[in-house]
Amino acid sequence: MYFPLGWPKRVSLALPGESAHIRHICCDAVKILVAAVGSDFLGIWYANPLLPIAYYRRSVESVQQHGGNHLIIWKPDSRQLAVLTDAGSLLLYQLDFDANGSGILMQVDPPALSLKRDSAELFIKENIPRLSLREVRCVTLDAVISTVCCISLSELLLATETCELLRVQWSQLELGAENLQPLAVIKLRDIPFYVQQQQQQPAKYLPAIGNAAFVASLEYSPFIGGCAAVFSDQRAAFLIADHLRFETAHMHGCWVPDVSDASVCSVNHKFRLLAYGQQSSAVAVYAIDDATAGLEYSHRLMLTENVLPGSLGAVNELKWSPDGCVLAVSWANGGLSLWSTFGALLMSTLSWDFGLHVDLLKQNPLQLRRLEWSTEGYQLFMTTREGENNVLQLQFVKSALSMNPCMSAHSHILLQGDDCLYINQGDNLEQTYGNAKCTFPSSSVTSNDDCLELKQTPNTGSILTESKYWTLLQLPLNYAATNWPIRYAAIDAAGLHVAVAGRTGLAHYAMLSKKWKLFGNESQEKDFVVSGGLLWWQGFIVMGCYSLLDRTDELRCYPAECKLDNQFGHKLQVRAPVISLNSYRDQLIVLTADGIVSLFHMHRQSAYIINIECAYELDVKSICIHPACIVSLTVTNLRNELKPQQQQHHQTEAETIVVNVCGRILMIQREEAAQQVPNTLLATCLASCVECFWLSHNLEHCAMRDCLWLFSGAHGMRVWLPILQQRAEQSGAQRLHSFMSKRIMLSFPLKLYPLVILFDNVIVLGVENESTLYTNETNSHFALPFALMERKSQVYLHKVLRQLIKRNLGYSAWEIAQSCRSLPYFPHALELLLHEVLEEEASSKQPIPDAQLPSILDFIREFPVYLQTIVQCARKTEIALWPYLFSMAGKPKELFHLCLQAEQLETAASYLIIIQNLEPSSVSKQHANMLLDIALNQRKWELAKDLIRFLKAIDPNEIDSPRCSMVLNVKIAPPQPQTQTQVNQNADVFNLVLGPIATRERSYSTTVTSNLPKDNKQQSVAASVERSEAPSGGSSTAPASVVRRKSTKERQQREIFCIDLILQRHARQLLQHHKLLDLGYMCAYLDFHLVNWLTQEATGAAKLDNIAAALQTLHAELQLPSPFPPAAGRDDFAQLRGTHRQTAAAGSSSQTSESGYFSLAAQMESPQLQPCIKEEEELQLSSLPMLKNRSNSQLSFDNFRYRRLYSLPASEDDNSDVLATYLNDKLAIKLRYLLQLFIEANCTDYALMLSILLQDAASISRIVNVVIRSESVGACKRIEAALKQLSQCTFDNGGSLYRGFVMTLQPHIYLLEQYIQSLGETPDHDDGEDSNDLSADAASVLEKDALDGSNNNFVPKSQQLPNGNQRTSEQRLTRHASLESKSKSNGNQANPSSTQSTPTQQSQRRGSREVGRDGCWVM
């Protein structure tokens, strides 16, 4: 509720220009004036700004006679105050106000222009009154006054050391001690004290007050009708008077039970609580029982974290906040803590960061003595025990719920400071990121698939759970200067408008326009004071207020759309001051000070006009001591029984009033529907110790839609929810005999203080306090920690489900869980549910006959995340708890196979960790290999990478060793205690204790082998003999055969070899199915050496028997159009080609692109590249005549067809540029990378197919060049057959994508034909040469050609001599004479102006070593 913020400031409250030790600080009733006393002076300060107003210094004689100042007591009208001295005297002071009304400050600017004030914050608009302080009387009684408290506007209660209470008036103190006649003298030893207040118990003086005991601490509360007292013998009591006269005959006392070491006391008026601080550093809090007027134990406050027992010392100060929502506690050994009304810890300085050199247990920097809350609880004055200038001021912000409980219906956290607001909301994130689409830049023109779409319609509640930023709204200076501090704050349901009310008037803020709206007429702002609350309803600000001008109590409504002015407002006069208000739909409920609850109907006529009519009034004085004790109230249609959802939609009028009276929740509902006014006699008490409550009646499709949520401080959160019945039981005889309650109250703890409950998201939002230290210098103003606050959240779904399952309400739990399945953290909630039950039951030392874990497992099994929940919970718990879990959930191996069946591979991988710790390593290895195969088949590369690392991490020496980490749980089989001594297993011991129970012959050995069958016994004996003889083998003369285990290195190599076999097998499958992209991903993720493996598979899986079918399959894998569509599709491809012609023309021609990594960069730099095969060379190669000696007619026909097709120009139906539009840049880069790998591994078949797919003529030229240089007839024939098959399929399907590109490949086909025939004519050529892999020399040539595009001539191996020398040019010329002559003649005829060499130059080249064969020249 309250949260510190900033540094504790050190302030000086001594006389101006002096330093003194402040002994006590006390604020007046309205928290505007602050009184501080030293040992000899009294000062009056103004609260804001903190300025001195009046001082009074006592004389030295007065201090010597009466002692130093000790305690301050203000008169309720702030005109007088009394000071109690150390000697037990009472000094009365009078405060006189200046009749002229002029303030103490005269604001005059200096004559220098540079020093004049220009901004508004430099002007103090607050009129600080001029006061004069004078001493009236010194009252010294016969008995020493021990303490003083004020009990009414005109009376004081004095406690003396003679164990008496004197009731005197303020006016009597002016007469002096000699004329003082007390109104009543109460002798505490003469009044009865009860141990427990019971009506039938007679008056007893047990235990009696000691002879030397007297009242040391006293505090009175008018709502309790008595005083909390602490005696000097550390006994605590509660003094009760039958009426306000406080006479001995009408008073009695009640000893506080279980408190025998009390040190200080304090009273909460609003909640009627009594707090007693103890010497044991604990605080006991008691409530008043309305039935017996006795004490009822409520809760206990004690720090348990970061604290050693007894290190804090006694509680030396307790102070409730002005609104009664927070209790501040300080200890004798140092430290400060804040607790909510019913015991929830909000803040503790013992958890703050004071630096490494500060030991809080030995020397706490905050050695506090006195505490005092300032205006509205925004500041806390703290006096330290020693030193001068010992006053610290700590700033606080508090929740709007403390003053305005109607804000519980909204989903925004609103904290209010004295002049600012802190708002945590998700609307700013929703407006920024909602409906957003982030697109990453792509080089592709037509591709827009690479984009990231955020949530289109994000839920405000979900964003609230993720947003931790605070929106800070500073109050405008024009309003804060005269209306400090903020008293009420409200925000609308949408989080777009915020309204605040200070000392007078009103202001509101628009989040969208970021502007404040104030009253244009300042006199109208000063004419009313907001009281009772502030809320938003459909664009109107509704408030209760008191009109200073008319002196009447009113309800006012101001529209937010127009300016703030009384002419636009709506006024409705009420009979008494408004204490609290709230709204439900179109109904407004108002509580006034006369104990009347009024229900109004609100109707919006327009954007500026609202109509309010009173529906009925209800008297609630019978259910509360005083209307001020009503903490909050609301109106709703919540009832004991759950109505059908259809009736709730048609029902608009509320039927029930829910009231929080001193922490007790009362529900007042109409007995019948025809009854208009609810009856207070039918009020039902639902719960006690409640600080605030929420209603979830706005939910529509949730099983928790009609629930009442209660927060009870140290008692945790409670929810009053309906019990859902199964559909079969909603009607019929089963419902008549079920005898089940309609609602149930569940309770569960929370780790934070709830400020907002998001019912749709089953999350509680709150704020926690943190601190940071900026400097370690003790003399610095920033030596103390800086207090921060952070928004926290907590899921409560698993808490509710556990309570329902525990009460055998599984159907209600299932319905609630079904409505929350769409939440992203629903699996986490189930995991928390299982984890809590497992930790509690498995670690329990007591047997649990009704274990809840089986029911929880059955419940989680109803959801698909069952397997995931089990393994995640197990991995976050200790291994010792696993047997208890898996004994009920199932064996880990069975759950692993269930994950495989459900295709939950990630979950199955998590089970491997469980299996590894509970089973031998061989079992985990077997399951890991099984999972690795499935992960590879499903392309889970990240998972496969983790599995490989898991397999390599298995210690080879532990393959066959069983796991001993599985600790048996006491609930499964009680283990033998390890500390027990070893039991003697000898049979003589059994005979000694139990007698001769066995008549069998005593065996020599007591091992368990005697119980085995004969065969097994013999085997076991033989094994034992072998084991026994093994150590003595060294002494025997016979040679002993020693079985050596394989070394660790060998085992590791074997494990890595098995992993490589799995990867190679999967890579072979991918290659056989032509899934080249998956092969590339596998190579990238799993660090698989693809080139080495492809080199080995060049004659196996890397061979292609049907390149056309492989290309068709590759197109399908890449989701590209079919390369060989039917002829009917030619028009479609022509249309596509026409559509993308302009786009394709802008880029470079794919037929002439370079292969390798630099192909894409080359395209970008130079769109117009020179073709690899020059035009004159193409003409030269295409004009080669057919060989005369070819007898095969089919060859001649094929050659003629290829010549004819190649000589034709590209037709308009060519679709070669259509493919380029489907190969985006990312895919092209991947394919070129794979092409480089296949070229490096000498896999010419796949390299040829990728070159065709990329339409890279240069790569094909180099592949043909390398094949020819390798002199492998089989490889040449395979490439030639592949190209012919591709050409055949291309021209058989007229709409082929590769029609134009295949035409450019005809010279390569022809040259391969010529080269194969030339090798066949050579006598020394081995025609039976097997078509094996390309040689290593050819591989190096291929790699060199791929890098520099070399056109160097080559010399086949068949032309080299045995001694390594090359054949002469004449031999090579004789071998290819006909081919060369034809090439020269055709070349000269085709292009006379070409750059070809003259016949003389060609003959010279043939004479040298670098001459090449023109017929085998491939570019």
Side-chain angles (χ1 to χ4, degrees):
M1 216 33 107
Y2 278 61
F3 308 99
L5 191 63
W7 280 288
K9 298 185 296 184
R10 189 172 296 274
V11 296
S12 176
L13 298 182
L15 295 177
E18 298 182 4
S19 297
H21 180 79
I22 303 299
R23 306 185 68 179
H24 190 224
I25 300 175
C26 185
C27 297
D28 64 343
V30 293
K31 305 293 184 180
I32 296 298
L33 300 178
V34 180
V37 292
S39 59
D40 60 347
F41 72 92
L42 169 65
I44 306 298
W45 293 67
Y46 198 74
N48 185 54
L50 192 61
L51 296 175
I53 301 177
Y55 279 98
Y56 184 85
R57 184 184 293 275
R58 295 171 56 194
S59 62
V60 179
E61 294 79 6
S62 175
V63 174
Q64 293 177 354
Q65 182 180 0
H66 304 291
N69 300 328
H70 177 66
L71 188 67
I72 309 172
I73 302 95
W74 277 92
K75 190 178 181 180
D77 60 359
S78 302
R79 293 185 177 274
Q80 288 182 337
L81 68 162
V83 176
L84 181 65
T85 64
D86 295 333
S89 300
L90 199 63
L91 304 177
L92 183 64
Y93 293 91
Q94 180 73 32
L95 270 179
D96 297 325
F97 291 85
D98 188 5
N100 298 328
S102 60
I104 64 172
L105 298 180
M106 183 179 295
Q107 304 181 49
V108 179
D109 291 335
L113 296 178
S114 60
L115 299 178
K116 288 187 177 181
R117 295 171 294 177
D118 296 331
S119 57
E121 56 267 14
L122 298 178
F123 292 87
I124 301 178
K125 296 183 179 180
E126 187 73 29
N127 186 15
I128 302 176
R130 185 188 299 272
L131 303 177
S132 61
L133 185 63
R134 59 185 178 89
E135 183 178 353
V136 177
R137 184 72 64 179
C138 178
V139 179
T140 303
L141 303 179
D142 296 336
V144 177
I145 302 175
S146 59
T147 185
V148 184
C149 71
C150 185
I151 61 175
S152 68
L153 296 176
S154 59
E155 293 183 0
L156 280 170
L157 197 63
L158 309 179
T160 64
E161 292 187 358
T162 58
C163 201
E164 294 179 345
L165 296 180
L166 306 179
R167 186 167 61 91
V168 299
Q169 292 184 347
W170 283 90
S171 58
Q172 291 179 338
L173 295 178
E174 301 177 4
L175 302 178
E178 60 278 2
N179 298 324
L180 182 61
Q181 297 293 331
L183 298 178
V185 178
I186 301 131
K187 296 182 179 181
L188 297 179
R189 289 189 176 90
D190 296 338
I191 66 174
F193 278 83
Y194 300 92
V195 178
Q196 287 291 343
Q197 178 68 23
Q198 299 292 340
Q199 295 292 340
Q200 67 274 10
Q201 183 178 359
K204 293 183 180 180
Y205 298 94
L206 296 176
I209 301 176
N211 295 330
F214 58 89
V215 177
S217 178
L218 187 68
E219 187 169 349
Y220 171 77
S221 173
F223 294 155
I224 295 178
C227 300
V230 173
F231 289 85
S232 58
D233 59 354
Q234 299 182 357
R235 298 172 65 183
F238 173 47
L239 306 178
I240 310 170
D242 295 341
H243 53 78
L244 296 179
R245 294 171 60 180
F246 276 94
E247 297 178 354
T248 305
H250 301 283
M251 286 194 65
H252 61 275
C254 180
W255 294 112
V256 178
D258 302 328
V259 177
S260 59
D261 58 345
S263 59
V264 69
C265 63
S266 184
V267 177
N268 189 324
H269 309 285
K270 193 172 185 178
F271 288 89
R272 304 180 71 210
L273 297 176
L274 292 85
Y276 295 92
Q278 299 177 258
Q279 297 290 334
S280 61
S281 70
V283 179
V285 183
Y286 290 83
I288 304 298
D289 188 1
D290 294 336
T292 62
L295 292 180
E296 181 182 1
Y297 177 77
S298 175
H299 57 277
R300 186 181 182 89
L301 308 179
M302 177 176 286
L303 284 180
T304 56
E305 297 182 0
N306 305 325
V307 173
L308 293 177
S311 61
L312 296 177
V315 178
N316 61 357
E317 185 71 339
L318 296 175
K319 191 65 66 174
W320 289 97
S321 62
D323 53 14
C325 295
V326 166
L327 177 63
V329 182
S330 65
W331 293 276
N333 294 339
L336 173 71
S337 64
L338 259 66
W339 307 78
S340 68
T341 306
F342 290 101
L345 180 62
L346 299 177
M347 182 272 295
S348 174
T349 59
L350 297 174
S351 62
W352 282 10
D353 181 16
F354 286 90
L356 299 176
H357 305 288
V358 177
D359 188 0
L360 296 179
L361 300 179
K362 296 181 180 180
Q363 185 65 30
N364 197 310
L366 295 179
Q367 299 279 344
L368 305 179
R369 182 179 180 183
R370 295 288 187 179
L371 304 175
E372 180 65 22
W373 290 98
S374 182
T375 310
E376 299 292 338
Y378 290 121
Q379 292 91 20
L380 179 64
F381 288 103
M382 305 175 291
T383 61
T384 57
R385 187 174 304 170
E386 298 175 355
E388 297 179 349
N389 295 331
N390 61 327
V391 180
L392 298 175
Q393 186 184 32
L394 186 58
Q395 193 78 16
F396 284 88
V397 294
K398 60 181 180 179
S399 172
L401 297 175
S402 61
M403 296 296 295
N404 204 19
C406 61
M407 287 295 99
S408 62
H410 300 319
S411 59
H412 306 278
I413 298 181
L414 178 61
L415 303 179
Q416 60 187 52
D418 56 347
D419 59 350
C420 59
L421 298 175
Y422 289 85
I423 305 174
N424 179 265
Q425 60 175 357
D427 286 1
N428 49 1
L429 293 180
E430 183 178 2
Q431 293 170 5
T432 305
Y433 300 106
N435 300 325
K437 186 175 183 179
C438 302
T439 304
F440 295 104
S442 177
S443 57
S444 178
V445 180
T446 60
S447 176
N448 57 355
D449 297 334
D450 299 325
C451 62
L452 176 64
E453 293 189 9
L454 302 179
K455 292 187 293 184
Q456 297 297 319
T457 56
N459 186 8
T460 305
S462 299
I463 296 178
L464 280 174
T465 60
E466 302 167 1
S467 173
K468 289 192 175 183
Y469 298 99
W470 295 98
T471 301
L472 177 61
L473 298 182
Q474 193 72 30
L475 208 62
L477 293 173
N478 296 335
Y479 183 78
T482 57
N483 297 290
W484 181 93
I486 297 175
R487 300 182 65 242
Y488 299 96
I491 187 171
D492 62 348
L496 300 178
H497 294 88
V498 180
V500 294
R503 192 183 307 166
T504 61
L506 176 74
H508 66 89
Y509 179 82
M511 301 293 291
L512 297 180
S513 62
K514 300 185 183 302
K515 291 183 180 180
W516 285 94
K517 281 189 179 182
L518 307 178
F519 275 92
N521 189 351
E522 191 173 355
S523 61
Q524 295 183 3
E525 183 183 272
K526 302 296 182 182
D527 287 344
F528 70 96
V529 178
V530 177
S531 64
L534 189 71
L535 59 89
W536 286 89
W537 181 81
Q538 295 187 7
F540 285 87
I541 309 172
V542 183
M543 75 202 78
C545 64
Y546 174 73
S547 177
L548 299 176
L549 185 63
D550 301 332
R551 297 187 180 276
T552 57
D553 297 290
E554 300 172 341
L555 286 176
R556 289 195 182 187
C557 302
Y558 290 96
E561 298 298 330
C562 60
K563 64 180 182 178
L564 280 177
D565 197 284
N566 288 339
Q567 62 178 344
F568 300 106
H570 179 79
K571 298 181 182 180
L572 180 64
Q573 186 174 352
V574 294
R575 295 178 298 183
V578 178
I579 295 179
S580 180
L581 54 84
N582 208 332
S583 65
Y584 172 71
R585 293 180 181 174
D586 296 339
Q587 301 174 4
L588 176 68
I589 185 171
V590 178
L591 171 66
T592 53
D594 56 354
I596 301 298
V597 174
S598 304
L599 187 68
F600 297 90
H601 289 286
M602 297 181 292
H603 176 65
R604 179 178 177 179
Q605 297 180 357
S606 65
Y608 308 106
I609 302 175
I610 185 175
N611 186 21
I612 301 179
E613 297 179 354
C614 182
Y616 60 83
E617 294 181 349
L618 178 66
D619 190 356
V620 294
K621 289 192 292 293
S622 60
I623 62 174
C624 62
I625 300 297
H626 191 275
C629 294
I630 296 181
V631 181
S632 60
L633 81 164
T634 187
V635 60
T636 179
N637 55 6
L638 186 71
R639 294 184 65 87
N640 281 331
E641 64 276 2
L642 180 63
K643 289 192 172 184
Q645 192 171 357
Q646 294 80 7
Q647 297 183 12
Q648 292 185 2
H649 287 315
H650 297 292
Q651 181 182 358
T652 59
E653 186 176 356
E655 299 181 353
T656 306
I657 297 176
V658 181
V659 186
N660 184 0
V661 182
C662 296
R664 293 182 295 113
I665 297 297
L666 302 179
M667 187 177 67
I668 308 171
Q669 58 183 1
R670 289 188 291 185
E671 186 177 6
E672 298 177 356
Q675 183 182 1
Q676 182 179 3
V677 181
N679 189 1
T680 56
L681 297 177
L682 301 177
T684 304
C685 184
L686 301 180
S688 59
C689 301
V690 177
E691 298 182 13
C692 48
F693 64 89
W694 298 263
L695 289 169
S696 58
H697 47 61
N698 294 328
L699 302 180
E700 295 182 359
H701 303 287
C702 183
M704 307 176 71
R705 53 184 168 85
D706 284 321
C707 301
L708 177 64
W709 299 81
L710 314 169
F711 181 68
S712 302
H715 304 285
M717 178 70 77
R718 303 176 185 176
V719 53
W720 193 52
L721 75 163
I723 298 177
L724 302 178
Q725 297 180 354
Q726 298 186 15
R727 296 176 178 86
E729 298 180 358
Q730 291 180 0
S731 61
Q734 295 181 356
R735 182 182 178 185
L736 296 177
H737 301 287
S738 60
F739 306 108
M740 293 182 62
S741 301
K742 298 180 176 62
R743 286 184 174 271
I744 188 173
M745 182 74 74
L746 306 178
S747 61
F748 51 88
L750 283 181
K751 296 181 181 179
L752 50 83
Y753 192 94
L755 299 179
V756 169
I757 299 180
L758 303 177
F759 303 105
D760 292 332
N761 301 88
V762 292
I763 280 184
V764 174
L765 300 182
V767 177
E768 287 188 359
N769 173 248
E770 296 181 356
S771 65
T772 182
L773 187 66
Y774 285 92
T775 179
N776 290 326
E777 300 178 2
T778 57
N779 298 327
S780 174
H781 294 286
F782 312 109
L784 295 177
F786 185 87
L788 302 170
M789 59 181 181
E790 183 180 358
R791 202 228 63 196
K792 297 288 186 178
S793 60
Q794 181 179 351
V795 180
Y796 61 83
L797 175 62
H798 61 288
K799 304 281 187 180
V800 177
L801 297 179
R802 180 183 179 183
Q803 296 297 327
L804 289 174
I805 297 174
K806 184 178 181 180
R807 290 164 173 80
N808 294 327
L809 299 175
Y811 180 74
S812 297
W814 184 81
E815 286 288 345
I816 293 174
Q818 282 293 113
S819 62
C820 302
R821 287 184 59 180
S822 60
L823 297 176
Y825 40 84
F826 177 73
H828 180 63
L830 295 180
E831 179 185 343
L832 293 176
L833 172 64
L834 179 61
H835 181 78
E836 288 186 359
V837 178
L838 176 64
E839 289 282 346
E840 180 178 338
E841 295 186 358
S843 60
S844 176
K845 296 182 179 180
Q846 300 295 330
I848 304 176
D850 53 346
Q852 194 179 357
L853 185 60
S855 302
I856 297 297
L857 292 174
D858 292 340
F859 177 78
I860 301 176
R861 198 175 285 111
E862 296 293 327
F863 302 95
V865 294
Y866 170 73
L867 299 172
Q868 177 185 355
T869 304
I870 297 297
V871 69
Q872 289 183 357
C873 177
R875 293 187 62 181
K876 296 176 183 178
T877 56
E878 299 179 0
I879 300 180
L881 307 183
W882 288 2
Y884 182 65
L885 173 62
F886 290 106
S887 64
M888 299 183 182
K891 296 182 179 180
K893 293 188 292 185
E894 298 176 357
L895 299 176
F896 176 83
H897 290 288
L898 291 178
C899 293
L900 296 184
Q901 295 177 5
E903 297 184 355
Q904 300 179 8
L905 303 187
E906 288 78 7
T907 306
S910 300
Y911 276 102
L912 286 178
I913 307 298
I914 310 297
I915 298 175
Q916 184 189 23
N917 288 275
L918 299 182
E919 301 287 345
S921 298
S922 58
V923 178
S924 60
K925 176 191 172 185
Q926 177 185 0
H927 288 76
N929 290 332
M930 185 189 311
L931 181 59
L932 179 59
D933 285 336
I934 300 177
L936 291 175
N937 292 331
Q938 296 188 7
R939 300 185 296 181
K940 303 287 186 180
W941 310 118
E942 289 287 353
L943 178 60
K945 181 179 179 181
D946 295 337
L947 290 173
I948 292 175
R949 186 171 64 250
F950 174 80
L951 288 171
K952 291 182 179 179
I954 296 178
D955 190 359
N957 295 326
E958 297 182 357
I959 292 296
D960 301 326
S961 60
R963 291 287 180 182
C964 59
S965 60
M966 184 170 179
V967 182
L968 293 179
N969 193 276
V970 69
K971 298 174 182 58
I972 301 176
Q976 294 294 335
Q978 298 180 359
T979 59
Q980 185 177 356
T981 58
Q982 184 65 30
V983 178
N984 192 349
Q985 301 290 340
N986 198 300
D988 294 337
V989 178
F990 292 96
N991 295 332
L992 177 64
V993 178
L994 303 177
I997 59 175
T999 59
R1000 63 179 182 270
E1001 183 180 359
R1002 293 176 58 185
S1003 61
Y1004 178 78
S1005 175
T1006 59
T1007 58
V1008 296
T1009 57
S1010 59
N1011 295 329
L1012 296 175
K1014 292 184 178 180
D1015 298 337
N1016 297 340
K1017 186 185 302 183
Q1018 294 175 359
Q1019 295 177 2
S1020 61
V1021 170
S1024 62
V1025 170
E1026 291 178 0
R1027 288 194 299 268
S1028 62
E1029 293 177 354
S1032 60
S1035 60
S1036 176
T1037 58
S1041 60
V1042 179
V1043 180
R1044 298 182 179 272
R1045 296 184 60 185
K1046 293 185 178 180
S1047 63
T1048 304
K1049 185 176 181 181
E1050 294 178 356
R1051 286 175 173 267
Q1052 291 179 350
Q1053 293 178 354
R1054 186 180 63 182
E1055 298 298 329
I1056 296 175
F1057 179 73
C1058 294
I1059 297 173
D1060 292 340
L1061 286 181
I1062 295 175
L1063 297 180
Q1064 292 175 9
R1065 181 176 68 250
H1066 184 71
R1068 191 175 297 107
Q1069 294 177 0
L1070 294 178
L1071 197 61
Q1072 290 174 354
H1073 294 86
H1074 313 300
K1075 298 182 178 181
L1076 300 186
L1077 283 185
D1078 292 344
L1079 187 63
Y1081 282 122
M1082 177 180 171
C1083 172
Y1085 277 95
L1086 306 184
D1087 196 16
F1088 182 68
H1089 301 288
L1090 186 59
V1091 175
N1092 297 337
W1093 179 78
L1094 287 175
T1095 304
Q1096 301 173 4
E1097 295 291 333
T1099 59
K1103 275 189 175 183
L1104 288 178
D1105 298 332
N1106 191 343
I1107 190 173
L1111 189 62
Q1112 182 82 20
T1113 306
L1114 185 59
H1115 271 252
E1117 289 292 334
L1118 300 179
Q1119 296 181 358
L1120 297 177
S1122 176
F1124 311 115
R1130 293 181 59 184
D1131 297 337
D1132 300 334
F1133 285 101
Q1135 184 178 2
L1136 288 174
R1137 176 184 174 276
T1139 304
H1140 301 285
R1141 181 179 298 275
Q1142 186 176 0
T1143 304
S1148 61
S1149 174
S1150 61
Q1151 300 176 7
T1152 59
S1153 60
E1154 289 288 340
S1155 63
Y1157 301 104
F1158 307 99
S1159 301
L1160 184 60
Q1163 289 182 7
M1164 294 181 178
E1165 294 176 1
S1166 177
Q1168 301 296 334
L1169 294 179
Q1170 297 295 330
C1172 295
I1173 301 179
K1174 299 180 181 180
E1175 182 180 359
E1176 53 269 23
E1177 294 176 356
E1178 292 178 1
L1179 294 176
Q1180 176 188 0
L1181 296 175
S1182 62
S1183 58
L1184 290 174
M1186 292 183 295
L1187 295 177
K1188 300 294 186 180
N1189 56 359
R1190 294 187 63 181
S1191 58
N1192 194 334
S1193 59
Q1194 181 65 30
L1195 280 176
S1196 302
F1197 176 76
D1198 292 343
N1199 188 23
F1200 171 75
R1201 183 172 58 175
Y1202 293 146
R1203 273 190 64 194
R1204 180 179 57 82
L1205 290 176
Y1206 179 71
S1207 61
L1208 293 176
S1211 63
E1212 293 296 331
D1213 295 334
D1214 293 342
N1215 299 309
S1216 59
D1217 56 345
V1218 178
L1219 183 64
T1221 62
Y1222 289 97
L1223 280 178
N1224 53 23
D1225 294 341
K1226 290 185 177 181
L1227 181 58
I1229 291 174
K1230 296 175 183 177
L1231 294 177
R1232 292 188 185 279
Y1233 175 77
L1234 291 174
L1235 175 61
Q1236 287 297 114
L1237 296 181
F1238 281 105
I1239 289 177
E1240 186 179 353
N1242 305 328
C1243 296
T1244 56
D1245 293 0
Y1246 274 95
L1248 179 64
M1249 183 176 63
L1250 288 175
S1251 301
I1252 294 170
L1253 181 63
L1254 293 169
Q1255 299 187 8
D1256 193 346
S1259 296
I1260 297 178
S1261 300
R1262 291 174 184 138
I1263 292 172
V1264 173
N1265 189 9
V1266 171
V1267 170
I1268 292 177
R1269 291 186 184 185
S1270 66
E1271 299 184 358
S1272 174
V1273 179
C1276 294
K1277 289 183 178 180
R1278 193 168 62 250
I1279 297 299
E1280 178 197 10
L1283 292 177
K1284 286 184 177 181
Q1285 184 183 16
L1286 178 65
S1287 302
Q1288 179 73 31
C1289 295
T1290 299
F1291 294 107
D1292 288 345
N1293 300 275
S1296 175
L1297 299 176
Y1298 300 101
R1299 178 183 176 86
F1301 179 70
V1302 168
M1303 290 181 180
T1304 63
L1305 302 182
Q1306 305 309 311
H1308 304 294
I1309 301 174
Y1310 186 74
L1311 289 178
L1312 286 171
E1313 270 188 5
Q1314 301 301 318
Y1315 179 69
I1316 292 172
Q1317 291 181 3
S1318 65
L1319 289 179
E1321 294 175 356
T1322 305
D1324 57 350
H1325 181 69
D1326 188 6
D1327 294 335
E1329 180 182 359
D1330 186 22
S1331 57
N1332 52 4
D1333 320 333
L1334 300 181
S1335 63
D1337 298 336
S1340 61
V1341 172
L1342 179 59
E1343 185 175 356
K1344 182 179 179 181
D1345 286 349
L1347 293 176
D1348 58 3
S1350 175
N1351 293 328
N1352 297 332
N1353 302 325
F1354 68 95
V1355 178
K1357 290 183 179 179
S1358 60
Q1359 299 180 15
Q1360 297 180 359
L1361 297 176
N1363 56 4
N1365 297 328
Q1366 297 180 357
R1367 297 180 186 272
T1368 61
S1369 59
E1370 289 79 5
Q1371 293 173 343
R1372 293 193 300 270
L1373 183 60
T1374 304
R1375 182 179 179 182
H1376 303 296
S1378 61
L1379 180 62
E1380 290 173 357
S1381 60
K1382 293 174 183 177
S1383 300
K1384 287 186 291 181
S1385 60
N1386 294 334
N1388 295 332
Q1389 294 175 4
N1391 190 5
S1393 61
S1394 64
T1395 58
Q1396 296 291 331
S1397 302
T1398 60
T1400 305
Q1401 295 173 347
Q1402 292 182 1
S1403 62
Q1404 292 177 358
R1405 287 198 188 96
R1406 284 193 294 268
S1408 62
R1409 287 181 176 269
E1410 289 81 5
V1411 71
R1413 291 175 301 174
D1414 297 341
C1416 300
W1417 197 292
V1418 180
M1419 300 297 298

